[in-house]
Amino acid sequence: TSSSRPFDLQIKLLMIGDSAVGKTSLLLRYANDTFSSTFITTIGIDFKIKTIDLDGKRVKLQIWDTAGQEQFRTITRSYFRGAQGIVLVYDITDRGTFNSVRSWMAQINDHADAQVNRVLIGNKADFETARQVSTEEGQRLADEYGVKFFETSAKNDVNVTECFTTIAREAKARI
Ligand code: GDP
Ligand code: MG
């Protein structure tokens, strides 16, 4: 199977952001191509592995998901250890989660390696009628931090592969 084929390099990615923004849903969509409409308790899930072909290399992505600690808006320092890329997610239908992005960026700055790559994601883009954060606001904040920005839908599988491929490619470029 593809998962047992040898790989050229391994990249550690992290999912970060407020509770219920869809971090676990994005990861499951990407790694398993599934979606669950129930709240997924991440307790017991450490990481998922997905091996992809990236610009001629076999790249093994090890993608870590939080186990609910983000409810307290703080994540243990050890979670960040060795991470080469961070997927920072907010929910376009919940302005509070967008307002938290700055504090997550500060935590990344405090705890992650200085050269870590980040990407900003506004998730639940399928839920336009409940939108509270415009695309322009998301893009502006991403520009301020010098990171790429995507609006995604884990539900409808929009931009999910693109966001993981982008962060993997940026991380790979620095290895
Ligand atoms: P986490 O706490 O950040 O890991 O969030 P979850 O992945 O557990 O998702 C929280 C809730 O948002 C669940 O009810 C999901 O079904 C829902 N959800 C996640 N992604 C999307 C999405 O893209 N669109 C919509 N409409 N709902 C989503
Ligand atoms: Mg989760």
Side-chain angles (χ1 to χ4, degrees):
T1 66
S2 61
S3 60
S4 61
R5 277 168 54 197
F7 56 90
D8 300 310
L9 62 140
Q10 180 163 316
I11 291 174
K12 180 179 175 181
L13 303 178
L14 308 180
M15 307 301 294
I16 296 269
D18 278 4
S19 190
V21 296
K23 299 180 298 298
T24 301
S25 299
L26 287 164
L27 178 52
L28 292 179
R29 169 62 75 195
Y30 181 60
N32 298 0
D33 202 22
T34 58
F35 177 81
S36 165
S37 58
T38 58
F39 191 91
I40 300 154
T41 165
T42 45
I43 294 172
I45 298 182
D46 285 329
F47 60 82
K48 291 214 165 275
I49 298 280
K50 186 167 171 108
T51 305
I52 60 170
D53 289 307
L54 196 60
D55 310 324
K57 297 274 188 211
R58 284 295 289 165
V59 179
K60 182 172 171 181
L61 301 178
Q62 187 188 56
I63 313 170
W64 290 72
D65 192 17
T66 55
Q69 311 96 308
E70 76 275 21
Q71 287 171 50
F72 310 105
R73 295 239 160 84
T74 171
I75 290 179
T76 158
R77 179 178 211 102
S78 61
Y79 182 68
F80 293 90
R81 197 167 295 139
Q84 287 134 327
I86 295 179
V87 179
L88 174 43
V89 186
Y90 68 89
D91 173 352
I92 68 149
T93 73
D94 183 346
R95 178 162 292 277
T97 69
F98 180 70
N99 293 339
S100 295
V101 167
R102 287 181 189 283
S103 87
W104 288 119
M105 284 290 192
Q107 280 198 58
I108 292 166
N109 198 47
D110 287 348
H111 297 326
D113 294 343
Q115 76 285 4
V116 76
N117 302 277
R118 299 154 300 167
V119 64
L120 182 65
I121 303 297
N123 189 43
K124 308 195 188 179
D126 56 276
F127 201 3
E128 198 56 54
T129 53
R131 181 187 284 275
Q132 294 183 0
V133 183
S134 71
T135 305
E136 293 69 29
E137 286 175 282
Q139 184 65 61
R140 223 179 296 131
L141 189 58
D143 289 347
E144 192 184 312
Y145 285 97
V147 302
K148 292 223 171 96
F149 173 66
F150 295 92
E151 285 192 346
T152 59
S153 169
K155 184 177 181 180
N156 291 352
D157 197 7
V158 175
N159 265 347
V160 178
T161 300
E162 289 77 0
C163 106
F164 283 101
T165 303
T166 295
I167 191 72
R169 184 171 281 123
E170 290 185 355
K172 176 174 167 285
R174 297 221 197 174
I175 289 172

